[in-house]
mmCIF file of all heavy atoms in Angstrom:
data_model
loop_
_atom_site.group_PDB
_atom_site.id
_atom_site.type_symbol
_atom_site.label_atom_id
_atom_site.label_comp_id
_atom_site.label_asym_id
_atom_site.label_seq_id
_atom_site.Cartn_x
_atom_site.Cartn_y
_atom_site.Cartn_z
ATOM 1 N N LEU A 130 14.137 -34.952 42.394
ATOM 2 C CA LEU A 130 13.741 -34.621 43.765
ATOM 3 C C LEU A 130 12.568 -33.655 43.645
ATOM 4 O O LEU A 130 12.764 -32.454 43.436
ATOM 5 C CB LEU A 130 14.901 -33.979 44.533
ATOM 6 C CG LEU A 130 16.194 -34.791 44.635
ATOM 7 C CD1 LEU A 130 17.267 -33.992 45.365
ATOM 8 C CD2 LEU A 130 15.962 -36.120 45.336
ATOM 9 N N GLU A 135 14.634 -30.475 41.671
ATOM 10 C CA GLU A 135 16.000 -30.759 41.236
ATOM 11 C C GLU A 135 16.039 -32.093 40.512
ATOM 12 O O GLU A 135 15.272 -33.003 40.833
ATOM 13 C CB GLU A 135 16.951 -30.842 42.438
ATOM 14 C CG GLU A 135 17.224 -29.533 43.116
ATOM 15 C CD GLU A 135 18.119 -29.678 44.337
ATOM 16 O OE1 GLU A 135 18.850 -30.687 44.471
ATOM 17 O OE2 GLU A 135 18.071 -28.764 45.173
ATOM 18 N N LEU A 137 18.938 -34.996 39.445
ATOM 19 C CA LEU A 137 20.314 -35.429 39.695
ATOM 20 C C LEU A 137 20.642 -36.671 38.881
ATOM 21 O O LEU A 137 19.776 -37.518 38.674
ATOM 22 C CB LEU A 137 20.508 -35.741 41.186
ATOM 23 C CG LEU A 137 20.201 -34.616 42.177
ATOM 24 C CD1 LEU A 137 20.238 -35.141 43.602
ATOM 25 C CD2 LEU A 137 21.165 -33.457 42.022
ATOM 26 N N LEU A 138 21.890 -36.764 38.444
ATOM 27 C CA LEU A 138 22.354 -37.956 37.739
ATOM 28 C C LEU A 138 23.326 -38.685 38.650
ATOM 29 O O LEU A 138 24.362 -38.141 39.025
ATOM 30 C CB LEU A 138 23.020 -37.571 36.419
ATOM 31 C CG LEU A 138 23.437 -38.734 35.509
ATOM 32 C CD1 LEU A 138 23.366 -38.326 34.041
ATOM 33 C CD2 LEU A 138 24.851 -39.227 35.824
ATOM 34 N N LEU A 139 22.972 -39.914 39.031
ATOM 35 C CA LEU A 139 23.804 -40.742 39.912
ATOM 36 C C LEU A 139 24.408 -41.877 39.096
ATOM 37 O O LEU A 139 23.687 -42.734 38.576
ATOM 38 C CB LEU A 139 22.960 -41.299 41.062
ATOM 39 C CG LEU A 139 23.694 -42.154 42.104
ATOM 40 C CD1 LEU A 139 24.651 -41.301 42.938
ATOM 41 C CD2 LEU A 139 22.693 -42.870 43.008
ATOM 42 N N GLU A 140 25.746 -41.894 38.989
ATOM 43 C CA GLU A 140 26.443 -42.938 38.232
ATOM 44 C C GLU A 140 26.314 -44.293 38.917
ATOM 45 O O GLU A 140 26.138 -44.370 40.133
ATOM 46 C CB GLU A 140 27.929 -42.609 38.131
ATOM 47 C CG GLU A 140 28.268 -41.482 37.208
ATOM 48 C CD GLU A 140 29.758 -41.235 37.223
ATOM 49 O OE1 GLU A 140 30.496 -42.026 36.590
ATOM 50 O OE2 GLU A 140 30.203 -40.263 37.868
ATOM 51 N N LYS A 143 28.688 -44.946 41.929
ATOM 52 C CA LYS A 143 28.271 -44.213 43.139
ATOM 53 C C LYS A 143 27.059 -44.909 43.762
ATOM 54 O O LYS A 143 26.962 -45.034 44.977
ATOM 55 C CB LYS A 143 27.917 -42.767 42.808
ATOM 56 C CG LYS A 143 29.014 -41.986 42.130
ATOM 57 C CD LYS A 143 30.026 -41.456 43.095
ATOM 58 C CE LYS A 143 31.040 -40.569 42.380
ATOM 59 N NZ LYS A 143 32.048 -40.056 43.261
ATOM 60 N N TYR A 146 28.086 -47.908 45.818
ATOM 61 C CA TYR A 146 28.607 -47.609 47.157
ATOM 62 C C TYR A 146 27.472 -47.665 48.189
ATOM 63 O O TYR A 146 27.604 -48.286 49.243
ATOM 64 C CB TYR A 146 29.276 -46.228 47.174
ATOM 65 C CG TYR A 146 29.563 -45.743 48.574
ATOM 66 C CD1 TYR A 146 30.672 -46.196 49.285
ATOM 67 C CD2 TYR A 146 28.690 -44.842 49.201
ATOM 68 C CE1 TYR A 146 30.914 -45.765 50.584
ATOM 69 C CE2 TYR A 146 28.921 -44.416 50.499
ATOM 70 C CZ TYR A 146 30.029 -44.882 51.187
ATOM 71 O OH TYR A 146 30.256 -44.468 52.476
ATOM 72 N N PHE A 147 26.353 -47.036 47.862
ATOM 73 C CA PHE A 147 25.214 -46.983 48.794
ATOM 74 C C PHE A 147 24.507 -48.341 48.902
ATOM 75 O O PHE A 147 24.054 -48.716 49.978
ATOM 76 C CB PHE A 147 24.230 -45.896 48.367
ATOM 77 C CG PHE A 147 24.826 -44.512 48.408
ATOM 78 C CD1 PHE A 147 25.072 -43.805 47.238
ATOM 79 C CD2 PHE A 147 25.175 -43.929 49.617
ATOM 80 C CE1 PHE A 147 25.633 -42.536 47.279
ATOM 81 C CE2 PHE A 147 25.745 -42.664 49.670
ATOM 82 C CZ PHE A 147 25.979 -41.964 48.496
ATOM 83 N N ARG A 150 26.699 -50.467 51.123
ATOM 84 C CA ARG A 150 26.529 -50.028 52.518
ATOM 85 C C ARG A 150 25.261 -50.629 53.125
ATOM 86 O O ARG A 150 25.276 -51.120 54.247
ATOM 87 C CB ARG A 150 26.477 -48.495 52.571
ATOM 88 C CG ARG A 150 26.350 -47.925 53.977
ATOM 89 C CD ARG A 150 26.410 -46.421 53.970
ATOM 90 N NE ARG A 150 25.185 -45.808 53.460
ATOM 91 C CZ ARG A 150 24.983 -44.499 53.362
ATOM 92 N NH1 ARG A 150 25.934 -43.659 53.730
ATOM 93 N NH2 ARG A 150 23.848 -44.016 52.882
ATOM 94 N N ILE A 159 19.608 -43.205 50.916
ATOM 95 C CA ILE A 159 20.673 -42.225 50.694
ATOM 96 C C ILE A 159 20.108 -40.888 51.148
ATOM 97 O O ILE A 159 19.030 -40.495 50.681
ATOM 98 C CB ILE A 159 21.060 -42.130 49.198
ATOM 99 C CG1 ILE A 159 21.318 -43.512 48.590
ATOM 100 C CG2 ILE A 159 22.245 -41.209 48.997
ATOM 101 C CD1 ILE A 159 21.448 -43.511 47.070
ATOM 102 N N THR A 160 20.783 -40.192 52.036
ATOM 103 C CA THR A 160 20.262 -38.886 52.452
ATOM 104 C C THR A 160 20.306 -37.940 51.244
ATOM 105 O O THR A 160 21.129 -38.136 50.329
ATOM 106 C CB THR A 160 21.076 -38.272 53.614
ATOM 107 O OG1 THR A 160 22.384 -37.939 53.130
ATOM 108 C CG2 THR A 160 21.156 -39.212 54.806
ATOM 109 N N ILE A 161 19.464 -36.940 51.263
ATOM 110 C CA ILE A 161 19.429 -35.976 50.151
ATOM 111 C C ILE A 161 20.794 -35.300 50.013
ATOM 112 O O ILE A 161 21.285 -35.110 48.894
ATOM 113 C CB ILE A 161 18.298 -34.934 50.341
ATOM 114 C CG1 ILE A 161 16.907 -35.614 50.318
ATOM 115 C CG2 ILE A 161 18.374 -33.828 49.283
ATOM 116 C CD1 ILE A 161 16.517 -36.329 49.034
ATOM 117 N N ASP A 162 21.430 -34.977 51.136
ATOM 118 C CA ASP A 162 22.760 -34.348 51.081
ATOM 119 C C ASP A 162 23.785 -35.280 50.441
ATOM 120 O O ASP A 162 24.590 -34.851 49.614
ATOM 121 C CB ASP A 162 23.222 -33.932 52.488
ATOM 122 C CG ASP A 162 22.471 -32.713 53.003
ATOM 123 O OD1 ASP A 162 21.893 -31.965 52.181
ATOM 124 O OD2 ASP A 162 22.463 -32.495 54.235
ATOM 125 N N GLU A 163 23.755 -36.568 50.812
ATOM 126 C CA GLU A 163 24.676 -37.553 50.219
ATOM 127 C C GLU A 163 24.430 -37.679 48.721
ATOM 128 O O GLU A 163 25.368 -37.768 47.928
ATOM 129 C CB GLU A 163 24.475 -38.930 50.858
ATOM 130 C CG GLU A 163 25.031 -39.075 52.252
ATOM 131 C CD GLU A 163 24.715 -40.431 52.869
ATOM 132 O OE1 GLU A 163 23.619 -40.992 52.603
ATOM 133 O OE2 GLU A 163 25.568 -40.926 53.622
ATOM 134 N N LEU A 164 23.150 -37.671 48.362
ATOM 135 C CA LEU A 164 22.764 -37.806 46.952
ATOM 136 C C LEU A 164 23.286 -36.617 46.146
ATOM 137 O O LEU A 164 23.849 -36.788 45.064
ATOM 138 C CB LEU A 164 21.242 -37.915 46.849
ATOM 139 C CG LEU A 164 20.643 -38.367 45.527
ATOM 140 C CD1 LEU A 164 21.181 -39.726 45.099
ATOM 141 C CD2 LEU A 164 19.125 -38.421 45.624
ATOM 142 N N ARG A 165 23.132 -35.430 46.704
ATOM 143 C CA ARG A 165 23.612 -34.217 46.019
ATOM 144 C C ARG A 165 25.132 -34.224 45.870
ATOM 145 O O ARG A 165 25.654 -33.831 44.839
ATOM 146 C CB ARG A 165 23.172 -32.968 46.793
ATOM 147 C CG ARG A 165 21.695 -32.638 46.606
ATOM 148 C CD ARG A 165 21.284 -31.503 47.517
ATOM 149 N NE ARG A 165 19.910 -31.081 47.264
ATOM 150 C CZ ARG A 165 19.134 -30.552 48.197
ATOM 151 N NH1 ARG A 165 19.565 -30.384 49.431
ATOM 152 N NH2 ARG A 165 17.900 -30.180 47.882
ATOM 153 N N GLU A 166 25.831 -34.671 46.924
ATOM 154 C CA GLU A 166 27.300 -34.712 46.896
ATOM 155 C C GLU A 166 27.828 -35.743 45.900
ATOM 156 O O GLU A 166 28.908 -35.571 45.344
ATOM 157 C CB GLU A 166 27.845 -35.047 48.288
ATOM 158 C CG GLU A 166 27.763 -33.892 49.272
ATOM 159 C CD GLU A 166 27.983 -34.315 50.717
ATOM 160 O OE1 GLU A 166 28.578 -35.403 50.941
ATOM 161 O OE2 GLU A 166 27.558 -33.574 51.623
ATOM 162 N N SER A 167 27.063 -36.812 45.668
ATOM 163 C CA SER A 167 27.518 -37.924 44.823
ATOM 164 C C SER A 167 27.029 -37.833 43.381
ATOM 165 O O SER A 167 27.371 -38.680 42.565
ATOM 166 C CB SER A 167 27.014 -39.250 45.408
ATOM 167 O OG SER A 167 27.357 -39.352 46.756
ATOM 168 N N SER A 168 26.203 -36.848 43.074
ATOM 169 C CA SER A 168 25.557 -36.775 41.757
ATOM 170 C C SER A 168 25.915 -35.504 41.004
ATOM 171 O O SER A 168 26.457 -34.560 41.567
ATOM 172 C CB SER A 168 24.033 -36.822 41.932
ATOM 173 O OG SER A 168 23.627 -37.942 42.656
ATOM 174 N N TYR A 169 25.554 -35.513 39.738
ATOM 175 C CA TYR A 169 25.646 -34.312 38.900
ATOM 176 C C TYR A 169 24.275 -33.642 38.911
ATOM 177 O O TYR A 169 23.256 -34.308 38.705
ATOM 178 C CB TYR A 169 25.994 -34.676 37.456
ATOM 179 C CG TYR A 169 27.353 -35.289 37.270
ATOM 180 C CD1 TYR A 169 27.506 -36.673 37.165
ATOM 181 C CD2 TYR A 169 28.495 -34.495 37.181
ATOM 182 C CE1 TYR A 169 28.756 -37.248 36.980
ATOM 183 C CE2 TYR A 169 29.761 -35.058 36.995
ATOM 184 C CZ TYR A 169 29.864 -36.441 36.898
ATOM 185 O OH TYR A 169 31.113 -36.998 36.721
ATOM 186 N N LEU A 170 24.260 -32.340 39.129
ATOM 187 C CA LEU A 170 23.001 -31.588 39.077
ATOM 188 C C LEU A 170 22.686 -31.265 37.622
ATOM 189 O O LEU A 170 23.533 -30.748 36.901
ATOM 190 C CB LEU A 170 23.115 -30.296 39.892
ATOM 191 C CG LEU A 170 21.900 -29.360 39.856
ATOM 192 C CD1 LEU A 170 20.684 -29.996 40.539
ATOM 193 C CD2 LEU A 170 22.241 -28.022 40.525
#
Side-chain angles (χ1 to χ4, degrees):
L130 303 177
E135 290 177 21
L137 303 171
L138 186 149
L139 182 69
E140 287 179 77
K143 304 278 185 181
Y146 168 80
F147 297 111
R150 182 176 74 180
I159 310 169
T160 68
I161 296 298
D162 287 340
E163 285 176 325
L164 193 57
R165 284 173 174 151
E166 285 166 21
S167 308
S168 305
Y169 295 99
L170 176 66

